[in-house]
Short mmCIF file of all heavy atoms in Angstrom, two decimals:
data_model
loop_
_atom_site.label_atom_id
_atom_site.label_comp_id
_atom_site.label_asym_id
_atom_site.label_seq_id
_atom_site.Cartn_x
_atom_site.Cartn_y
_atom_site.Cartn_z
N CYS A 1 82.45 171.54 73.10
CA CYS A 1 83.52 171.24 72.03
C CYS A 1 84.47 170.25 72.66
O CYS A 1 85.56 170.60 73.07
CB CYS A 1 84.23 172.47 71.63
SG CYS A 1 83.14 173.77 70.92
N PRO A 2 84.17 168.94 72.64
CA PRO A 2 85.01 167.93 73.34
C PRO A 2 86.47 167.98 72.93
O PRO A 2 87.36 167.86 73.74
CB PRO A 2 84.29 166.68 73.04
CG PRO A 2 82.87 167.00 72.68
CD PRO A 2 82.96 168.32 72.02
N ASP A 3 86.70 167.93 71.59
CA ASP A 3 88.11 167.81 71.16
C ASP A 3 88.91 169.08 71.47
O ASP A 3 90.09 168.97 71.86
CB ASP A 3 88.13 167.51 69.65
CG ASP A 3 87.78 166.07 69.34
OD1 ASP A 3 87.39 165.28 70.33
OD2 ASP A 3 87.81 165.59 68.17
N LEU A 4 88.34 170.20 71.18
CA LEU A 4 89.05 171.43 71.52
C LEU A 4 89.39 171.50 72.97
O LEU A 4 90.52 171.88 73.35
CB LEU A 4 88.30 172.66 71.06
CG LEU A 4 87.99 172.86 69.57
CD1 LEU A 4 87.16 174.15 69.40
CD2 LEU A 4 89.33 173.06 68.81
N ASP A 5 88.37 171.22 73.78
CA ASP A 5 88.60 171.23 75.26
C ASP A 5 89.63 170.17 75.69
O ASP A 5 90.44 170.52 76.62
CB ASP A 5 87.29 171.05 76.01
CG ASP A 5 86.36 172.18 75.84
OD1 ASP A 5 86.81 173.27 75.30
OD2 ASP A 5 85.13 172.07 76.08
N THR A 6 89.62 168.99 75.13
CA THR A 6 90.55 168.04 75.54
C THR A 6 92.05 168.45 75.18
O THR A 6 92.93 168.21 76.02
CB THR A 6 90.30 166.65 74.85
OG1 THR A 6 88.97 166.12 75.23
CG2 THR A 6 91.29 165.58 75.14
N VAL A 7 92.27 169.00 74.05
CA VAL A 7 93.54 169.63 73.80
C VAL A 7 93.85 170.74 74.78
O VAL A 7 95.05 170.65 75.30
CB VAL A 7 93.60 170.17 72.32
CG1 VAL A 7 94.90 170.89 72.05
CG2 VAL A 7 93.39 168.98 71.35
N MET A 8 92.97 171.57 74.98
CA MET A 8 93.28 172.76 75.88
C MET A 8 93.49 172.21 77.31
O MET A 8 94.46 172.71 77.89
CB MET A 8 92.05 173.67 75.82
CG MET A 8 92.09 174.89 76.65
SD MET A 8 90.75 176.04 76.37
CE MET A 8 89.42 175.11 77.24
N TYR A 9 92.70 171.35 77.85
CA TYR A 9 92.91 170.90 79.21
C TYR A 9 94.25 170.07 79.33
O TYR A 9 94.96 170.19 80.27
CB TYR A 9 91.77 170.00 79.64
CG TYR A 9 90.43 170.70 79.75
CD1 TYR A 9 89.28 169.96 79.70
CD2 TYR A 9 90.26 172.06 80.08
CE1 TYR A 9 88.02 170.53 79.88
CE2 TYR A 9 89.09 172.71 80.32
CZ TYR A 9 87.94 171.89 80.19
OH TYR A 9 86.69 172.49 80.38
N THR A 10 94.44 169.23 78.31
CA THR A 10 95.68 168.36 78.41
C THR A 10 96.95 169.17 78.39
O THR A 10 97.86 168.93 79.24
CB THR A 10 95.68 167.31 77.24
OG1 THR A 10 94.47 166.53 77.29
CG2 THR A 10 96.90 166.41 77.32
N LEU A 11 97.06 170.11 77.43
CA LEU A 11 98.24 170.91 77.36
C LEU A 11 98.28 172.00 78.46
O LEU A 11 99.40 172.53 78.74
CB LEU A 11 98.32 171.56 75.97
CG LEU A 11 98.34 170.59 74.73
CD1 LEU A 11 98.54 171.32 73.48
CD2 LEU A 11 99.47 169.53 74.93
N GLY A 12 97.14 172.33 79.03
CA GLY A 12 97.19 173.31 80.05
C GLY A 12 97.23 172.81 81.43
O GLY A 12 97.18 173.56 82.47
N GLY A 13 97.25 171.46 81.59
CA GLY A 13 97.40 170.86 82.92
C GLY A 13 96.18 170.65 83.70
O GLY A 13 96.22 170.43 84.87
N GLY A 14 95.00 170.66 83.08
CA GLY A 14 93.73 170.50 83.75
C GLY A 14 92.94 169.24 83.43
O GLY A 14 91.85 169.12 83.90
N ILE A 15 93.53 168.34 82.62
CA ILE A 15 92.84 167.14 82.20
C ILE A 15 92.79 166.08 83.29
O ILE A 15 93.71 166.02 84.14
CB ILE A 15 93.52 166.59 80.93
CG1 ILE A 15 92.55 165.67 80.18
CG2 ILE A 15 94.85 165.85 81.26
CD1 ILE A 15 91.53 166.32 79.40
N ASN A 16 91.69 165.35 83.23
CA ASN A 16 91.65 164.08 84.04
C ASN A 16 92.52 162.99 83.41
O ASN A 16 92.09 162.55 82.28
CB ASN A 16 90.20 163.62 84.21
CG ASN A 16 89.98 162.47 85.09
OD1 ASN A 16 90.74 161.40 84.96
ND2 ASN A 16 89.02 162.46 85.89
N GLU A 17 93.66 162.85 83.88
CA GLU A 17 94.65 161.95 83.28
C GLU A 17 94.17 160.47 83.11
O GLU A 17 94.36 159.78 82.04
CB GLU A 17 95.96 161.93 83.99
CG GLU A 17 96.68 163.24 83.93
CD GLU A 17 97.35 163.49 82.63
OE1 GLU A 17 97.38 162.57 81.64
OE2 GLU A 17 97.82 164.65 82.37
N GLU A 18 93.41 159.99 84.10
CA GLU A 18 93.02 158.58 83.98
C GLU A 18 92.05 158.33 82.91
O GLU A 18 92.15 157.33 82.13
CB GLU A 18 92.29 158.23 85.33
CG GLU A 18 91.86 156.74 85.43
CD GLU A 18 91.26 156.37 86.74
OE1 GLU A 18 91.40 157.20 87.70
OE2 GLU A 18 90.79 155.29 86.86
N GLN A 19 91.03 159.25 82.69
CA GLN A 19 90.00 158.99 81.64
C GLN A 19 90.36 159.65 80.32
O GLN A 19 89.94 159.36 79.26
CB GLN A 19 88.67 159.43 82.06
CG GLN A 19 88.44 160.86 82.38
CD GLN A 19 87.12 161.11 83.10
OE1 GLN A 19 86.54 160.22 83.68
NE2 GLN A 19 86.70 162.40 83.04
N GLY A 20 91.29 160.71 80.42
CA GLY A 20 91.78 161.37 79.20
C GLY A 20 90.86 162.43 78.70
O GLY A 20 91.17 163.09 77.76
N TRP A 21 89.74 162.71 79.36
CA TRP A 21 88.81 163.74 78.99
C TRP A 21 88.26 164.39 80.31
O TRP A 21 88.33 163.79 81.33
CB TRP A 21 87.70 163.31 78.11
CG TRP A 21 86.86 162.05 78.66
CD1 TRP A 21 87.13 160.77 78.54
CD2 TRP A 21 85.73 162.18 79.58
NE1 TRP A 21 86.27 160.01 79.29
CE2 TRP A 21 85.40 160.87 79.95
CE3 TRP A 21 85.02 163.22 80.05
CZ2 TRP A 21 84.33 160.56 80.71
CZ3 TRP A 21 83.91 162.97 80.91
CH2 TRP A 21 83.60 161.67 81.20
N GLY A 22 87.63 165.61 80.14
CA GLY A 22 87.14 166.22 81.37
C GLY A 22 88.21 166.79 82.23
O GLY A 22 89.39 166.65 82.04
N ARG A 23 87.73 167.38 83.30
CA ARG A 23 88.62 168.09 84.35
C ARG A 23 89.13 167.14 85.34
O ARG A 23 88.40 166.28 85.84
CB ARG A 23 87.90 169.25 84.92
CG ARG A 23 87.59 170.35 83.85
CD ARG A 23 88.85 171.18 83.51
NE ARG A 23 89.51 171.64 84.76
CZ ARG A 23 89.13 172.72 85.32
NH1 ARG A 23 88.08 173.50 84.91
NH2 ARG A 23 89.77 173.08 86.42
N THR A 24 90.29 167.47 85.86
CA THR A 24 90.83 166.82 87.08
C THR A 24 90.05 167.36 88.32
O THR A 24 89.48 168.47 88.30
CB THR A 24 92.37 167.09 87.24
OG1 THR A 24 92.78 166.28 88.37
CG2 THR A 24 92.69 168.55 87.54
N ASP A 25 89.97 166.54 89.35
CA ASP A 25 89.30 166.90 90.55
C ASP A 25 87.85 167.35 90.36
O ASP A 25 87.38 168.32 90.89
CB ASP A 25 90.05 167.99 91.32
CG ASP A 25 91.46 167.52 91.76
OD1 ASP A 25 91.59 166.31 92.02
OD2 ASP A 25 92.41 168.27 91.69
N GLU A 26 87.15 166.67 89.44
CA GLU A 26 85.82 167.09 89.06
C GLU A 26 84.83 166.64 90.11
O GLU A 26 84.96 165.75 90.84
CB GLU A 26 85.52 166.44 87.72
CG GLU A 26 84.22 166.91 87.06
CD GLU A 26 84.18 168.37 86.73
OE1 GLU A 26 83.95 169.14 87.64
OE2 GLU A 26 84.50 168.74 85.59
N THR A 27 83.72 167.44 90.10
CA THR A 27 82.51 167.12 90.92
C THR A 27 81.34 167.09 89.97
O THR A 27 81.41 167.71 88.81
CB THR A 27 82.33 168.06 92.06
OG1 THR A 27 82.22 169.39 91.56
CG2 THR A 27 83.43 167.99 93.06
N TRP A 28 80.24 166.61 90.40
CA TRP A 28 79.09 166.32 89.43
C TRP A 28 77.75 166.82 90.01
O TRP A 28 76.71 166.27 89.75
CB TRP A 28 79.03 164.81 89.17
CG TRP A 28 80.30 164.34 88.61
CD1 TRP A 28 81.31 163.81 89.38
CD2 TRP A 28 80.71 164.23 87.30
NE1 TRP A 28 82.38 163.49 88.57
CE2 TRP A 28 81.99 163.76 87.18
CE3 TRP A 28 80.05 164.61 86.11
CZ2 TRP A 28 82.72 163.54 86.01
CZ3 TRP A 28 80.75 164.42 84.95
CH2 TRP A 28 82.01 163.93 84.89
N SER A 29 77.82 167.91 90.78
CA SER A 29 76.51 168.40 91.47
C SER A 29 75.53 168.84 90.40
O SER A 29 74.26 168.57 90.51
CB SER A 29 76.82 169.55 92.42
OG SER A 29 77.74 169.08 93.38
N ILE A 30 75.96 169.59 89.32
CA ILE A 30 75.04 170.14 88.40
C ILE A 30 74.30 169.00 87.63
O ILE A 30 73.12 168.98 87.44
CB ILE A 30 75.77 171.08 87.36
CG1 ILE A 30 76.38 172.20 88.12
CG2 ILE A 30 74.77 171.48 86.30
CD1 ILE A 30 77.15 173.17 87.21
N LYS A 31 75.09 167.98 87.22
CA LYS A 31 74.48 166.89 86.44
C LYS A 31 73.55 166.12 87.34
O LYS A 31 72.45 165.77 86.87
CB LYS A 31 75.61 165.85 86.03
CG LYS A 31 75.06 164.72 85.19
CD LYS A 31 76.12 163.80 84.64
CE LYS A 31 75.59 162.76 83.79
NZ LYS A 31 76.60 161.78 83.40
N ALA A 32 73.79 165.99 88.62
CA ALA A 32 72.81 165.34 89.56
C ALA A 32 71.58 166.15 89.68
O ALA A 32 70.46 165.62 89.73
CB ALA A 32 73.54 165.17 90.94
N GLU A 33 71.76 167.39 89.81
CA GLU A 33 70.55 168.27 89.89
C GLU A 33 69.71 168.24 88.54
O GLU A 33 68.47 168.19 88.63
CB GLU A 33 70.85 169.75 90.19
CG GLU A 33 71.38 169.90 91.63
CD GLU A 33 70.23 169.60 92.67
OE1 GLU A 33 69.14 170.21 92.43
OE2 GLU A 33 70.51 168.86 93.56
N MET A 34 70.38 168.24 87.37
CA MET A 34 69.65 168.15 86.16
C MET A 34 68.88 166.83 86.07
O MET A 34 67.76 166.82 85.57
CB MET A 34 70.60 168.30 84.98
CG MET A 34 71.42 169.55 84.94
SD MET A 34 70.33 171.00 84.70
CE MET A 34 70.00 170.87 82.91
N LYS A 35 69.47 165.78 86.56
CA LYS A 35 68.77 164.47 86.58
C LYS A 35 67.45 164.52 87.51
O LYS A 35 66.46 163.99 87.16
CB LYS A 35 69.68 163.38 87.12
CG LYS A 35 69.03 162.00 87.11
CD LYS A 35 70.01 160.96 87.64
CE LYS A 35 69.41 159.56 87.61
NZ LYS A 35 70.37 158.51 88.13
#
């Protein structure tokens, strides 16, 4: 749910400020393994 999560993360202090979506201090291990 991209829009619900973006509101939740932004107002809750967990958003990646630079890109405006997703989590701050994110890592990508699962996506790499799925690939």
